[in-house]
Amino acid sequence: MLIVTAAQMREMDRLTIQKYGVPSLTLMDRAGEGIAQAILERFARAAKKGVLVVAGKGNNGGDGLVVARLLKKKRIPSEVVLLARKSELSPDADHNLKAYSRLRGKVTEITTGSLGLFAERMRGAGLLVDGILGTGIKNAVGGLYAEAITIMNASGVPTVAVDIPSGLDTDNGSPLGIAVQAEMTVALAYPKLGEVIYPGLSYVGDLAIADIGIDPRAVKEVSPDIELLEREEVRWLVPLREPDTHKGTYGHVLVMAGSRGKTGAAIMACRAGMRSGAGLVTLAGPRSLNDIFATSLVEVMTEPLRDSGAEEIEPLDDEEWRRLLERKNSLLFGPGIGVNESTRSALRWLLRHLEIPWVIDADGLNNLALEMDRLRNTKTPPILTPHPGEMARLIDKDTATVNQDRIGTARSFAMEHRCHVVLKGARTVISTLEGKVFINPTGNPGMASGGMGDVLAGMLAALLGQGLSPEDAMKLGVYLHGFVGDRVAAEKGQIGLIASDIIEGLPPGMRALSMAAP
């Protein structure tokens, strides 16, 4: 599903109206129709008690006026509170105010001095429609609008927002001083970026989409390049199993991981790789820890590597690398591997020589952060899987800077450093090295526990080993990781959900995902 910024939506509107000849009033009518339909589908009972449309003076208010008119025609009690003088309305909003008035629709003008009247009009309503502010605002909401939003949020009456909750920044989802807390938002044409990421998600409620007839040629000209992953798209990426195949068909994954005190990271990554369909997995780790690995991973082969007294791998020569990588289809480097000169040396060699698809995770990223200049010239662009703290180290900023613009951070880093990025967190962001961005909607707070990242890294390596492109492996791996987490949470609850639950849920999760949604 395409996601748009305020500027992109504005330009698609302009092209549709000015270049492709669709009247702006037609777009407004279609918007109102979509919102009215969504209200009747979700809030029919509440609407029958009476709908109060709270309208501003711009086109967002005009959309709300169309809603009021259409609901009145369907014998749903509707009323309009106008947070402006009638003389201040935009031309299209004024047109729809007159159309509503011709049906003898009730309109009350509200000023700062008459907010008590606003609260009174709200008292008998079963549903509010927020048509105050649209996608164009950038400054903090103040004055009459801020006071009205405060009253709406405190009323306890469910609210449906027109296009975006009033007061929400369209592009980053931050409330501009104050924002409407909606039970449902009906996005017009496409979801806006601020509606599908945090903190905006906390204000949007259920998100519905109304097709208002934006011309496809306008969409092509603007070329939005951010997508929200959807089950129906992702499910086709689940690898199929043909009858005449064997373990070699499904890839041999090499996992370089583990050090003293961090054997669990290596073990979970390997188990996740096997549960994600890898035909073979080999764990290369410190020789002194091999007994732990071998007894914990019955189905996984091990490759003991020379290690130091600190139980960290020693540097390998070219021949040892050749033998280790022979007949491997993908590589995972980093979970629990430690940060030291030997692991940095290994990473340098891989950046310079590796020819198979690979994933750098955890300590691999911490090693990389110390030698970032080498990443741009890597032979095979890797998938990097940082959480915000690791990304902050990679770009030499603080975590707050990363979280302020997760999409921009992931995209600019991927393009500048010629790699693919999975920036983990609530609504994980995926960016390809070409700058294509995908936002993942699956997952839940129960997954905020140790080892989840190791599981995801093992999954990604396994999918690469089965022949998926980096883009497809990231889309499927990230979506599936959260999808399984959601299934487990639905069964067991979020509290106490652990990484092993995800690993064991992968086979039934992949089967469920591959099927059409019920």
Side-chain angles (χ1 to χ4, degrees):
M1 180 188 299
L2 287 177
I3 305 298
V4 300
T5 64
Q8 289 170 336
M9 192 67 247
R10 189 162 52 246
E11 181 63 6
M12 288 190 289
D13 271 333
R14 187 191 70 80
L15 289 169
T16 298
I17 295 165
Q18 297 181 10
K19 187 172 181 179
Y20 299 113
V22 180
S24 58
L25 284 171
T26 299
L27 295 181
M28 190 171 282
D29 278 347
R30 290 172 181 168
E33 289 168 5
I35 297 162
Q37 181 179 345
I39 286 172
L40 294 175
E41 288 176 356
R42 166 76 194 276
F43 292 104
R45 181 176 297 179
K48 288 177 182 177
K49 297 178 183 177
V51 176
L52 182 66
V53 175
V54 187
K57 61 186 177 181
N59 285 347
N60 196 254
D63 296 331
L65 287 161
V66 177
V67 174
R69 185 183 81 233
L70 295 176
L71 291 178
K72 190 170 182 62
K73 283 186 173 181
K74 292 180 180 292
R75 302 186 182 280
I76 299 293
S78 68
E79 185 177 332
V80 174
V81 165
L82 191 61
L83 302 180
R85 297 296 184 190
K86 293 177 182 178
S87 60
E88 298 175 322
L89 295 183
S90 70
D92 286 357
D94 180 62
H95 173 90
N96 280 299
L97 175 63
K98 291 173 180 174
Y100 176 65
S101 298
R102 284 195 292 271
L103 296 177
R104 299 183 181 180
K106 183 175 179 58
V107 179
T108 304
E109 294 181 20
I110 297 295
T111 64
T112 301
S114 59
L115 280 167
L117 181 58
F118 176 40
E120 181 183 320
R121 303 315 310 159
M122 191 184 303
R123 206 163 289 136
L127 186 71
L128 304 178
V129 173
D130 161 33
I132 304 172
L133 295 165
T135 60
I137 65 165
K138 285 297 178 186
N139 300 318
V141 180
L144 175 62
Y145 286 171
E147 292 179 273
I149 291 171
T150 299
I151 293 170
M152 291 168 68
N153 286 345
S155 70
V157 182
T159 300
V160 174
V162 172
D163 202 17
I164 190 167
S166 292
L168 205 63
D169 187 288
T170 307
D171 293 342
N172 65 33
S174 299
L176 295 170
I178 188 170
V180 165
Q181 183 71 61
E183 273 66 41
M184 180 172 73
T185 297
V186 184
L188 305 181
Y190 297 99
K192 313 308 180 287
L193 181 55
E195 295 174 328
V196 299
I197 58 175
Y198 286 101
L201 268 169
S202 301
Y203 293 83
V204 167
D206 294 337
L207 183 63
I209 314 298
D211 181 2
I212 64 172
I214 294 295
D215 194 286
R217 293 167 292 183
V219 179
K220 186 175 181 180
E221 286 186 49
V222 173
S223 297
D225 53 4
I226 300 175
E227 294 183 39
L228 184 69
L229 293 178
E230 295 183 279
R231 177 175 179 170
E232 187 56 30
E233 173 196 6
V234 173
R235 75 183 187 92
W236 295 104
L237 300 176
V238 177
L240 298 175
R241 295 253 163 168
E242 299 294 339
D244 187 19
T245 55
H246 52 83
K247 61 188 177 184
T249 306
Y250 302 107
H252 190 164
V253 179
L254 177 65
V255 177
M256 296 190 69
S259 62
R260 178 186 296 172
K262 298 179 179 180
T263 54
I267 291 166
M268 284 187 288
C270 290
R271 290 183 61 223
M274 292 297 295
R275 289 297 193 187
S276 299
L280 294 164
V281 175
T282 293
L283 172 58
R287 179 176 294 156
S288 56
L289 300 176
N290 195 64
D291 285 350
I292 296 174
F293 296 143
T295 53
S296 299
L297 295 166
V298 178
E299 298 91 353
V300 174
M301 295 177 285
T302 61
E303 186 69 46
L305 302 177
R306 292 195 314 276
D307 63 342
S308 65
E311 296 178 329
E312 297 169 334
I313 62 169
E314 290 286 326
L316 282 69
D317 60 34
D318 286 353
E319 178 57 29
E320 289 172 314
W321 277 116
R322 184 200 64 76
R323 185 178 62 81
L324 187 61
L325 291 167
E326 189 175 12
R327 293 197 296 273
K328 305 301 191 301
N329 301 102
S330 65
L331 168 70
L332 167 57
F333 180 85
I337 205 168
V339 180
N340 52 66
E341 178 53 37
S342 292
T343 49
R344 288 200 296 277
S345 172
L347 184 57
R348 285 184 215 119
W349 192 97
L350 292 167
L351 289 167
R352 192 165 56 247
H353 298 290
L354 189 67
E355 296 181 347
I356 59 175
W358 61 315
V359 179
I360 304 178
D361 180 54
D363 280 343
L365 298 170
N366 295 327
N367 281 292
L368 181 63
L370 301 173
E371 302 186 16
M372 278 299 303
D373 57 309
R374 299 177 184 272
L375 181 57
R376 291 186 186 89
N377 301 313
T378 183
K379 189 165 189 177
T380 302
I383 295 174
L384 274 55
T385 56
H387 57 58
E390 291 164 340
M391 178 56 85
R393 288 191 283 276
L394 291 172
I395 64 174
D396 196 24
K397 303 284 185 181
D398 58 30
T399 303
T401 299
V402 173
N403 285 329
Q404 283 169 6
D405 186 10
R406 287 167 50 79
I407 291 169
T409 299
R411 173 187 274 159
S412 60
F413 186 93
M415 295 180 71
E416 179 183 353
H417 295 282
R418 289 191 65 253
C419 63
H420 309 281
V421 172
V422 172
L423 179 54
K424 296 180 289 194
R427 292 282 159 132
T428 290
V429 176
I430 297 167
S431 179
T432 68
L433 57 81
E434 298 88 5
K436 293 171 65 176
V437 171
F438 304 91
I439 299 171
N440 179 55
T442 62
N444 61 80
M447 299 176 73
S449 64
M452 291 291 176
D454 304 310
V455 171
L456 176 60
M459 293 169 62
L460 293 171
L463 295 171
L464 290 173
Q466 291 171 77
L468 274 71
S469 68
E471 178 181 320
D472 286 348
M474 291 188 293
K475 288 161 62 176
L476 175 56
V478 171
Y479 190 95
L480 176 64
H481 187 247
F483 179 80
V484 172
D486 290 340
R487 284 167 54 90
V488 174
E491 179 186 349
K492 298 183 177 182
Q494 294 182 7
I495 298 175
L497 196 157
I498 61 175
S500 294
D501 294 328
I502 306 301
I503 295 172
E504 295 310 311
L506 283 170
M510 292 184 86
R511 181 182 60 204
L513 177 58
S514 67
M515 300 175 182

